[in-house]
Amino acid sequence: MSRDGEGDVDPEKRATLRRFAALGAATPLSRFAGTASADGESDTRDALVGYVGATPGAHFSRVRDDLKLGTGETQYHLRELEKAGTVESRKDGDYRRYFLAGRFGEFQQVALGYLRRETPRRMVIELLRDPEASAAAIADRLGVSRPTVSSHAADLERAGILSREDGYALAEPEALLVLLVRYADSFGRDAAALASEAPDLVSHDA
């Protein structure tokens, strides 16, 4: 039996793996030298490549849970993919986040980590829509407290995503907009709504 335990895979897990494996198999990085393995393992690695490609910045637990894999199984395959140079990761506080190798610069990787968190993402989206928005206005629109917004703003500032020198200002709004639009399906309804507004936002900025 393969390390995946292919014979024990339930139909829902198999369907999930096949869906992302199709994406991974179409990714040039998915067949790096050194990744040769049994068919079941290859399918799982293709699924991981496909998932990470579609959901960059996802942390380990989300990768594992969304693909319905075991902890040891996920650790093994991600480690092998990192050794092969197919996937790379970075530590983000208590999380380890995964990306296809060579696809993103440091700012993008850090930004994707914060965009995977609901409140920071919603704050960034509000500032993309309204660059003049105050902390109080953002708190009101998000339905959270002003201290909550201030705390997340401090984190975003330390990460180099936000400046608080004169109100709130995003460091690289165009790069953030591109990430949110390109991977909108993996973020949720707030990013999907922003994606539909993106042409107007770009025209307004221009």
Side-chain angles (χ1 to χ4, degrees):
M1 181 182 294
S2 76
R3 197 177 290 260
D4 285 355
E6 177 67 19
D8 300 325
V9 178
D10 63 65
E12 185 180 1
K13 174 179 176 178
R14 184 173 287 117
T16 300
L17 290 176
R18 284 176 176 168
R19 178 160 57 92
F20 283 105
L23 291 174
T27 302
L29 290 171
S30 66
R31 299 298 185 184
F32 262 61
T35 62
S37 59
D39 287 344
E41 291 188 345
S42 179
D43 288 346
T44 300
R45 289 186 196 172
D46 279 345
L48 284 163
V49 171
Y51 182 86
V52 171
T55 319
H59 59 70
F60 177 86
S61 296
R62 181 174 176 185
V63 175
R64 177 197 63 197
D65 294 348
D66 283 358
L67 289 178
K68 306 180 188 303
L69 299 172
T71 297
E73 182 182 11
T74 308
Q75 289 172 333
Y76 168 73
H77 288 298
L78 285 174
R79 184 170 61 248
E80 292 301 305
L81 286 167
E82 286 202 75
K83 286 181 183 177
T86 306
V87 166
E88 60 188 9
S89 67
R90 68 179 297 129
K91 201 78 168 65
D92 176 17
D94 294 331
Y95 298 108
R96 179 162 292 280
R97 299 187 181 276
Y98 292 86
F99 310 84
L100 292 185
R103 292 290 180 90
F104 304 100
E106 183 175 0
F107 176 83
Q108 292 172 311
Q109 288 190 357
V110 171
L112 280 163
Y114 280 94
L115 294 175
R116 293 282 164 212
R117 304 171 184 176
E118 183 178 4
T119 300
R121 179 178 68 250
R122 293 177 67 200
M123 289 173 60
V124 168
I125 288 173
E126 286 302 323
L127 285 167
L128 286 170
R129 286 176 170 147
D130 180 7
E132 303 300 321
S134 65
I138 293 171
D140 184 59
R141 293 170 192 171
L142 269 55
V144 299
S145 68
R146 171 72 181 274
T148 295
V149 168
S150 295
S151 176
H152 285 295
D155 290 340
L156 289 167
E157 184 175 45
R158 283 190 290 271
I161 297 170
L162 182 74
S163 169
R164 297 189 295 169
E165 290 184 5
D166 184 17
Y168 288 172
L170 296 172
E172 296 189 34
E174 296 86 358
L176 293 166
L177 180 61
V178 167
L179 291 174
L180 283 162
V181 171
R182 181 171 293 165
Y183 301 103
D185 289 344
S186 73
F187 288 119
R189 288 180 295 179
D190 52 1
L194 180 74
S196 69
E197 303 167 23
D200 292 334
L201 293 173
V202 172
S203 297
H204 175 72
D205 289 343

